[in-house]
Amino acid sequence: MPATYALDRAELAVISNGGDWLISWHPPDGQPAGTPHGVTGVCVTDFREVVLVSDDGARWGFPGGRKQPGESWMDTLHRRLEEEACVGVLNAELIGWGRGECLSGPQQGLVLVRSMWTVRAELYEWDRSEPEMLHRRLCPPDHAQRALYMEQGMEPIYLRQLREAGLPHS
């Protein structure tokens, strides 16, 4: 069965990190309840290349990461994209929120919220000694969906993220 887009606030059942989760997409106009957890940036350069990162060279994803205490969403976005992908944020637009509620397993009871952004990105020199990720890849927008590693059950969230960022998707 082909994957579909995540609908606003519709909960999807996913098994992840040894637990059962309900995940959902929320539009940018209202942060859902939960613990602020991190950011994800769909980064596109002025040359229309999508920036992907990987720690193993096989599973590629959008750069992002966790917030530090007291840090704003925008501060986190700037810091994490520079740390993970050696990119600067020239412009960023909030495209949505991801919310995950853990129903069972080691993280049972957690409700985590992640901000999702589309980013006009400036590439910095790739210095493998600095970024947290070991690999950075640039791909044309029409290859991003095929290049992304999508955890089983999370496909609707990724497809919605691609759509909201204005990238080609199926």
Side-chain angles (χ1 to χ4, degrees), residues 1 12-13 33 41 49 64 73 93 97 103 109 112 114 119 124 128 135 141 153 157:
M1 171 192 263
L12 304 167
E49 297 170 306
W73 290 108
E93 179 184 346
W97 303 93
L103 304 176
L112 303 175
R114 179 172 285 265
V119 175
Y124 298 153
R128 293 180 73 153
H135 307 276
I157 298 292

Side-chain angles (χ1 to χ4, degrees), residues 24-26 28 38-42 62 73 77 93-99 113-119 154 157-158 161 164:
S24 53
W25 178 275
H26 296 257
V39 299
T40 300
V42 180
F62 298 123
W73 290 108
L77 184 69
E93 179 184 346
L94 181 65
I95 57 173
W97 303 93
R99 182 179 186 272
V113 175
R114 179 172 285 265
S115 61
M116 311 282 193
W117 302 82
T118 183
V119 175
M154 294 288 291
I157 298 292
Y158 282 97
Q161 200 171 11
E164 296 300 326

Side-chain angles (χ1 to χ4, degrees), residues 36-39 65-73 76 79-80 113:
H37 186 61
V39 299
R66 294 186 180 161
K67 285 182 68 148
Q68 291 181 350
E71 195 173 44
S72 73
W73 290 108
T76 303
R79 178 180 59 81
R80 293 303 298 171
V113 175

Side-chain angles (χ1 to χ4, degrees), residues 76-96:
T76 303
L77 184 69
H78 282 262
R79 178 180 59 81
R80 293 303 298 171
L81 296 186
E82 189 167 335
E83 288 174 356
E84 279 209 346
C86 292
V87 299
V89 176
L90 297 173
N91 186 33
E93 179 184 346
L94 181 65
I95 57 173

